[in-house]
């Protein structure tokens, strides 16, 4: 699965921002037709994204297009405008049911067959950002074409009538619900946008908290946010070294017939080994 520590959005009709995005070394680029694009610019966003997919070299950045929500009335034209140019994935916002993912998956499969592309080569990432979406996560997360669930904090706060605060305590339950569903189905979990984009210290704190919760990455909206977020979701050299020591000493201790043992004055047993392996997998995905 493509590493997605930072997923950068820009309005799909903004050619300048799209061309800038491919120079940033960001893991994922998401050209938006939904809420970042004005209602009277939806058509322009479709043709601009199609042009970008045809003409620009995205390098190692993943190229994604976000369509409008299923049921908005725009979704069909959105997906049909971009699919012929083989994006790496489609992002569907405000998903509330398995059927909405299946709707897009069928259209994608038809395109893969029609063009002779590898089946499942175009992935789906979904936004879960409403009360119904959170309630139905159990069914939604089981969809086989899914790679990631993106939690939209602002939409979710609006959906439940919560007031957003800096520490985002009002979002904790839903963020953890998304993380649990992702862990159960081996998906990536992508955290909220820090909309106060000039405050990079707040971004760092929020990113590190998200990483501790179990998110694998975070949505960003400005180029300056990219390095901060990508660093926060890359295990530190210290964390990698400690994880390696756990893996090595665990093996030796098993051979001695001990399930639990002490390392630097702390108890190590199976769950700590599993966590260490997750750290190493994440470091590996980030090219460390
Ligand atoms: N992607 C790529 N480039 C971006 C960008 C983005 N999301 N946001 C800003 N830039 C570029 C600008 O074009 C500018 O480029 P330049 O130096 O070549 O002129 C540079 O980065 C600095 O931008 P800045 O002037 O600091 O930002 P701004 O005031 O123009 O825009 C926002 C601020 C928040 C309006 C803008 O960042 C934005 O639209 N972000 C995306 C919002 C979005 O897509 N929301 C929907 C999903 S949540
Ligand atoms: Mg949203």
């Amino acid at each position: 699965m493509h590493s997605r520590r930072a997923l950068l959005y820009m309005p799909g009709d903004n050619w300048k921002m799209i061309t800038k995005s491919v120079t940033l070394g960001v893991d994922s680029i998401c050209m938006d037709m939904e809420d970042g694009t004005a209602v009277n610019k939806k058509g322009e966003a479709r043709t601009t994204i199609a042009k970008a997919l045809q003409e620009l070299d995205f390098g190692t950045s993943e190229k994604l297009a976000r369509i409008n929500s299923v049921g908005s009335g725009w979704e069909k034209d959105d997906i049909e405008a971009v699919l012929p140019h083989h994006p790496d994935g489609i992002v569907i916002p405000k998903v509330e049911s398995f059927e909405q993912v299946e709707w897009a998956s069928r259209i994608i499969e038809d395109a893969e067959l029609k063009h002779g592309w590898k089946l499942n080569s175009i992935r789906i990432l979904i936004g879960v950002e409403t009360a119904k979406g959170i309630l139905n996560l159990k069914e939604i997360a089981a969809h086989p074409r899914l790679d990631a669930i993106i939690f939209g904090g602002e939409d979710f706060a609006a959906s439940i009538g919560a007031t957003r605060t800096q520490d985002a305590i009002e979002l904790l339950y839903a963020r953890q619900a998304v993380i649990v569903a992702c862990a159960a189905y081996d998906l990536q979990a992508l955290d909220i946008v820090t909309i106060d984009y000039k405050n990079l210290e707040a971004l760092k704190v929020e990113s590190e908290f998200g990483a501790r919760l179990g998110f694998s990455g975070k949505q960003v909206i400005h180029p300056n946010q990219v390095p901060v977020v990508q660093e926060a979701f890359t295990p530190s050299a210290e964390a990698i070294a400690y994880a390696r020591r756990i893996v090595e000493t665990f093996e030796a201790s098993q051979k001695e017939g001990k399930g639990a043992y002490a390392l630097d004055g702390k108890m190590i047993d199976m769950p700590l080994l599993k966590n260490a392996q997750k750290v190493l997998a994440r470091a590996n995905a980030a090219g460390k």
Side-chain angles (χ1 to χ4, degrees):
M1 221 187 288
H2 189 85
S3 167
R4 302 185 180 97
R5 294 163 303 176
L7 182 151
L8 174 67
Y9 293 101
M10 73 287 313
D13 60 306
N14 195 319
W15 181 251
K16 187 166 173 277
M17 285 191 191
I18 296 175
T19 53
K20 175 129 191 150
S21 73
V22 304
T23 68
L24 300 172
V26 61
D27 291 339
S28 296
I29 294 171
C30 184
M31 298 171 280
D32 188 26
M33 291 170 270
E34 201 220 7
D35 290 347
T37 299
V39 170
N40 62 0
K41 293 279 185 183
K42 301 289 183 193
E44 202 174 320
R46 290 179 195 126
T47 51
T48 308
I49 296 170
K51 181 176 147 83
L53 290 170
Q54 286 168 274
E55 294 180 8
L56 295 182
D57 180 2
F58 284 75
T60 55
S61 298
E62 180 182 43
K63 40 193 188 196
L64 303 171
R66 184 165 80 169
I67 63 172
N68 282 280
S69 59
V70 182
S72 65
W74 286 311
E75 69 276 19
K76 194 162 174 290
D77 288 343
D78 291 344
I79 200 167
E80 283 174 357
V82 298
L83 266 187
H85 312 295
H86 203 295
D88 296 318
I90 295 290
V91 179
I92 319 171
K94 299 184 181 67
V95 167
E96 298 190 323
S97 70
F98 181 92
E99 289 69 33
Q100 293 175 332
V101 185
E102 184 55 17
W103 170 84
S105 185
R106 287 225 186 92
I107 293 176
I108 293 172
E109 189 172 306
D110 286 347
E112 288 170 341
L113 290 169
K114 183 177 146 204
H115 294 275
W117 296 330
K118 197 163 161 260
L119 275 181
N120 288 316
S121 59
I122 300 176
R123 308 301 303 163
I124 293 179
L125 293 78
I126 57 169
V128 169
E129 42 199 344
T130 61
K132 270 197 187 136
I134 294 292
L135 274 185
N136 295 333
L137 268 173
K138 200 171 155 183
E139 292 84 52
I140 298 168
H143 198 286
R145 202 184 279 266
L146 275 189
D147 262 15
I149 301 182
I150 303 167
F151 178 64
E154 307 312 316
D155 275 301
F156 186 72
S159 163
I160 64 166
T163 304
R164 287 285 284 113
T165 63
Q166 174 114 24
D167 63 7
I169 192 77
E170 67 282 357
L171 301 179
L172 191 56
Y173 164 75
R175 279 162 106 187
Q176 292 190 302
V178 167
I179 290 164
V180 171
C182 286
Y185 289 97
D186 207 13
L187 306 173
Q188 294 167 342
L190 305 185
D191 202 9
I192 57 178
V193 174
T194 304
I195 58 172
D196 184 9
Y197 65 90
K198 294 197 174 156
N199 189 344
L200 296 181
E201 187 48 40
L203 176 69
K204 184 167 185 268
V205 170
E206 195 174 271
S207 301
E208 287 171 353
F209 179 63
R212 284 201 298 278
L213 284 178
F215 280 105
S216 50
K218 187 173 177 70
Q219 306 163 79
V220 297
I221 51 155
H222 192 280
N224 292 350
Q225 293 185 315
V226 172
V228 178
V229 167
Q230 293 195 162
E231 191 186 336
F233 286 94
T234 305
S236 66
E238 201 184 9
I240 296 170
Y242 186 58
R244 287 212 179 105
R245 273 186 72 213
I246 291 180
V247 171
E248 284 157 16
T249 53
F250 190 90
E251 216 166 281
S253 123
Q254 285 282 317
K255 281 195 187 126
E256 284 173 28
K258 284 190 249 166
Y261 64 102
L263 181 67
D264 303 340
K266 289 198 185 108
M267 189 275 288
I268 306 293
D269 67 355
M270 188 57 92
L272 282 103
L273 173 74
K274 287 183 184 160
N275 220 321
Q277 287 166 334
K278 283 239 158 85
V279 170
L280 295 179
R282 236 163 235 190
N284 192 35
K288 291 274 158 172

